[in-house]
Amino acid sequence: MSFDIDVGLQLGDATITCRVEGGDGLTVLFGPSGAGKTSVLNMVAGLLTPGWGHVRVEGETLFEASDDPWIPDFDLPPEQRRAGYVFQEPRLFPHKRVRANLLYGWRQGAGAVDVDDTIALLGLAALLDRWPRTLSGGEARRVAIGRALLSNPRFLLLDEPLSSLDRARREEIMGLIERLRDALGLPILMVTHDRAEAERLGNRIVEI
């Protein structure tokens, strides 16, 4: 199985719990705003520490809470988890052109995505010399996804990748996510509050 996630966390008065057991492809975390979906992504990425449970991807343990109070939890640092994280906002470096944004953090290695192939897959060739401030919302999302892919990730995390986009741009990015899902074979965990998006893109849907 790709994702084996069983985590919980107390945040103030709210308790966030999530269990994901899925095969290959794209798993959608679906639920209303404020349900804790992004917090689950952050726990998988190592940016937020679960209160209990475990996180495993492709059989490798990234987090495991200890049942013994004298034994610390196993918590793999974020930089060692190799998560390709695409946040709700593209978060491109404004002082770097698209090409430099794409190559930031580029990692070569076994199974790494080729730079030229990634540029072609995402349709970025015409954007390489542009500044982030000149990009449309859909273009900026494509660049952010490309930057995540070029980090040679073990898996992808997509946090509301279609939010704040108009209808045409949403179709563009949904088509791109479908190509990534079907062509790359990377486990993908995606957050959305839109049922139609979840049903179209997800191989499985986990409600939170």
Side-chain angles (χ1 to χ4, degrees):
M1 294 185 297
S2 295
F3 292 105
D4 177 6
I5 301 166
D6 188 2
V7 292
L9 179 65
Q10 189 73 34
L11 283 178
D13 295 332
T15 301
I16 298 170
T17 60
C18 180
R19 181 166 184 80
V20 176
E21 291 181 299
D24 294 332
L26 190 151
T27 300
V28 174
L29 300 183
F30 171 76
S33 297
K37 303 182 299 299
T38 296
S39 293
V40 173
L41 285 195
N42 287 337
M43 286 188 262
V44 175
L47 304 179
L48 188 62
T49 302
W52 60 88
H54 65 259
V55 176
R56 302 185 185 104
V57 180
E58 297 284 274
E60 180 175 348
T61 298
L62 308 184
F63 174 84
E64 183 91 47
S66 173
D67 293 329
D68 188 330
W70 299 101
I71 300 176
D73 298 341
F74 176 79
D75 193 5
L76 195 67
E79 65 273 15
Q80 295 181 27
R81 297 191 182 197
R82 286 180 50 204
Y85 201 148
V86 180
F87 298 90
Q88 287 189 38
E89 297 300 325
R91 299 192 184 185
L92 303 180
F93 298 112
H95 62 292
K96 294 179 181 289
R97 294 182 189 268
V98 166
R99 186 191 305 274
N101 266 281
L102 287 171
L103 294 178
Y104 181 84
W106 176 43
R107 296 179 186 172
Q108 302 183 57
V113 181
D114 181 80
V115 174
D116 291 336
D117 288 346
T118 301
I119 290 171
L121 176 66
L122 302 181
L124 298 175
L127 306 179
L128 296 177
D129 293 325
R130 300 258 301 271
W131 295 102
R133 64 178 178 274
T134 71
L135 303 177
S136 69
E139 290 169 340
R141 291 293 164 88
R142 283 191 279 139
V143 175
I145 292 170
R147 184 173 62 182
L149 288 175
L150 288 172
S151 70
N152 191 17
R154 180 185 291 119
F155 55 95
L156 282 179
L157 303 175
L158 307 179
D159 190 4
E160 297 278 7
L162 305 169
S163 64
S164 304
L165 298 179
D166 61 33
R167 184 173 180 178
R169 300 292 81 73
R170 285 163 61 90
E171 268 304 312
E172 170 191 327
I173 300 301
M174 274 203 281
L176 169 60
I177 292 172
E178 287 174 322
R179 293 199 299 275
L180 295 177
R181 178 195 65 197
D182 299 338
L184 296 183
L186 279 176
I188 302 173
L189 189 61
M190 172 181 146
V191 158
T192 183
H193 62 271
D194 186 295
R195 172 69 74 175
E197 290 175 13
E199 292 178 348
R200 173 172 166 178
L201 298 173
N203 297 104
R204 70 205 52 78
I205 299 172
V206 177
E207 295 200 27
I208 295 182

